Amino acid sequence: MQNAHDIALLLARFQFAFTVGVHIIFPAFSIGLAAYLAVLEGAWLATGRQVFLDLYRYWIKAFSIVFGMGVVSGLVMAYEFGTNWSVFSKKAGPITGVLLSYEVMTAFFLEAGFLGVMLFGMSKVGRGLHFAATCCVSVGTLISMTWILASNSWMQTPRGYRIDPATGQFLPDDWLAIIFNPSFPFRLVHMGLAAFLSVAFAVGATGAWHMLRARRAGAIASEPVRVMFSMAMWMAAIVAPVQILAGDAHGLNTLKYQPVKIAAMEGDWETEGRAPELLFGIPNMRTEHTDYAVKIPLLGSLILTHSLDGKVPGMKDFPRDQRPPSPVIFFSFRIMVALGVLMMLVGLWSLWHRRNSTLFTSPVFHIVALCMAPAGFIALLCGWVTTEVGRQPWTVYGLLRTSDSAAPVILSSMAVSMTAFVVVYVIVFGSGLGILIRLLARAPQEGEPDTAPARASDMLATRVHPAVVTFSSGKGA
């Protein structure tokens, strides 16, 4: 029976990881794309250049689909909190539930209130009001990210609470301490930059694809294609180095408040000064040793403490039952860092091409930019895995174990539920991504059509995919 319960718990954890992993892509895409749309519309109003309006109308169609899929995928997790993780919800709900309610009352209402104007109001309201609506939707996505990260960061570094001895519930004592817990500012900046960087490479890859197609056809890419590629590469060149600095600051914060997570990420078992950096290895939780280690002397202390003599923690300093699974986060962390460095190098390479006036004519660079399309999102997922798996075995770090947070789930029910989730998600979100790719496969035009037809009868002739209207009106109504 105990073995069946353990398997059911593992499936419940995997189900939540799967649904969150699918969901997190869409809000990140929405955050970056909403900000990009606000910049495009602002540039159009400031300069009067048609190319910015064309790009706005092109990318708003993609935004409507991404935003819709984000809403749908996010609803599922609320039900999981109330079913598979009802014990966690009961104990931590007085804090996490309130923070997520703030997200609904501020961000969700702001986005829902102005999304319809943003999508369909270009020809119905004044330019200034429409730009305000776009900005409100963009700000709404940032506010949503803020509240969600406040809740999740509190689970990582809990502060400002007391525990009711009768019920075991976490009760708020100081809301400012709860919201602005030690890891929150670092994670907010890191996540925001990750969203902007992910969208920059998605936009850049789209531009690169259309420039390669134009080159094969013996033509010159249109102005909208060149402009969006240029803007994306500027974003990559600026944000990628800043993101690496933000990640370094986040690492120092994690070392202070969650040292065992750092030890597991680095594959370090013994606490030592002048520690090496393990570029590669396979941490072995059973033998308490990292096999096949490839080390660079002193670099571990320098990166983690900014001192060659700094002391780096080892997992042996912590009880076995409080160590996260090192092999998982050892590799997820390295994939994230490798992709981050690669994105920075591509951004810097774009500056070299810009200086030599070859940004729009180098097929090799365009192929590289195209291949980098998913890099930001993969890095984001790896960062999420590192953060969340590195918190194990806790849901509320150091206070509430994951095994004590789950409802008494039944193995057969979890197996059926997990299978159904995978099948439905593949069909629904696979279809949504297919529609999105079809939209982006068509190059933006000079005189790009609006998302809202001038007359209802024009709906039959509009070039907007019907799914755009379906997804958008679902939340914008």
Side-chain angles (χ1 to χ4, degrees), residues 60-70 72 115 119-120 428-439 451 459 462-476:
I60 198 172
K61 299 163 191 173
F63 174 80
S64 64
I65 292 178
V66 170
F67 191 87
M69 288 193 289
V72 173
L115 184 64
L119 292 176
F120 305 116
V428 173
F429 296 107
S431 300
L433 288 175
I435 294 170
L436 179 62
I437 292 171
R438 282 180 57 193
L439 283 174
T451 52
M459 183 66 77
T462 184
R463 299 183 66 175
V464 181
H465 196 284
V468 174
V469 178
T470 302
F471 274 123
S472 304
S473 60
K475 186 175 178 181

Side-chain angles (χ1 to χ4, degrees), residues 220-262:
I220 299 176
S222 66
E223 184 183 13
V225 170
R226 298 196 307 272
V227 168
M228 75 174 172
F229 184 72
S230 177
M231 294 177 73
M233 290 302 102
W234 273 123
M235 194 70 172
I238 295 170
V239 174
V242 176
Q243 176 70 312
I244 290 177
L245 294 176
D248 176 68
H250 187 195
L252 294 176
N253 177 265
T254 305
L255 176 63
K256 180 177 180 180
Y257 293 100
Q258 295 176 307
V260 67
K261 181 189 289 189
I262 290 293

Side-chain angles (χ1 to χ4, degrees), residues 133-148:
T134 302
C135 291
C136 285
V137 171
S138 178
V139 170
T141 63
L142 294 173
I143 294 175
S144 178
M145 176 185 69
T146 299
W147 286 119
I148 291 171

Side-chain angles (χ1 to χ4, degrees), residues 50-317:
Q50 179 68 26
V51 64
F52 293 119
L53 179 60
D54 291 338
L55 287 173
Y56 179 91
R57 288 174 169 172
Y58 179 77
W59 281 103
I60 198 172
K61 299 163 191 173
F63 174 80
S64 64
I65 292 178
V66 170
F67 191 87
M69 288 193 289
V71 172
V72 173
S73 60
L75 291 174
V76 176
M77 293 184 295
Y79 291 103
E80 288 185 77
F81 277 125
T83 53
N84 298 344
W85 304 100
S86 58
V87 177
F88 167 80
S89 297
K90 180 179 179 181
K91 291 187 176 182
I95 291 178
T96 59
V98 171
L99 293 175
L100 295 179
S101 296
Y102 290 162
E103 188 260 339
V104 172
M105 290 188 295
T106 55
F108 188 89
F109 288 168
L110 186 65
E111 293 165 333
F114 288 96
L115 184 64
V117 177
M118 177 185 175
L119 292 176
F120 305 116
M122 179 71 80
S123 60
K124 298 176 176 61
V125 299
R127 291 183 176 183
L129 181 57
H130 189 271
F131 178 56
T134 302
C135 291
C136 285
V137 171
S138 178
V139 170
T141 63
L142 294 173
I143 294 175
S144 178
M145 176 185 69
T146 299
W147 286 119
I148 291 171
L149 283 178
S151 175
N152 186 266
S153 297
W154 179 83
M155 294 162 63
Q156 298 279 347
T157 50
R159 293 292 187 277
Y161 66 92
R162 71 179 188 277
I163 299 177
D164 187 328
T167 63
Q169 285 186 308
F170 296 90
L171 302 177
D173 261 350
D174 184 346
W175 278 110
L176 287 179
I178 289 170
I179 296 170
F180 298 100
N181 58 80
S183 64
F184 168 70
F186 299 92
R187 300 186 67 225
L188 180 66
V189 172
H190 200 46
M191 179 63 189
L193 292 175
F196 294 148
L197 197 56
S198 299
V199 170
F201 276 94
V203 172
T206 304
W209 165 253
H210 291 301
M211 281 191 286
L212 287 169
R213 289 184 65 188
R215 183 182 181 87
R216 284 196 297 269
I220 299 176
S222 66
E223 184 183 13
V225 170
R226 298 196 307 272
V227 168
M228 75 174 172
F229 184 72
S230 177
M231 294 177 73
M233 290 302 102
W234 273 123
M235 194 70 172
I238 295 170
V239 174
V242 176
Q243 176 70 312
I244 290 177
L245 294 176
D248 176 68
H250 187 195
L252 294 176
N253 177 265
T254 305
L255 176 63
K256 180 177 180 180
Y257 293 100
Q258 295 176 307
V260 67
K261 181 189 289 189
I262 290 293
M265 286 164 49
E266 295 296 328
D268 293 327
W269 294 93
E270 304 285 350
T271 297
E272 58 181 318
R274 304 176 69 82
E277 173 68 17
L278 274 69
L279 291 182
F280 177 81
I282 303 177
N284 191 319
M285 300 296 288
R286 182 178 58 83
T287 62
E288 298 185 334
H289 180 265
T290 298
D291 302 325
Y292 313 108
V294 178
K295 304 178 180 181
I296 299 180
L298 305 178
L299 190 59
S301 291
L302 182 62
I303 291 175
L304 291 171
T305 68
H306 293 183
S307 169
L308 291 175
D309 298 318
K311 184 175 290 187
V312 176
M315 278 185 282
K316 289 184 180 179
D317 288 352

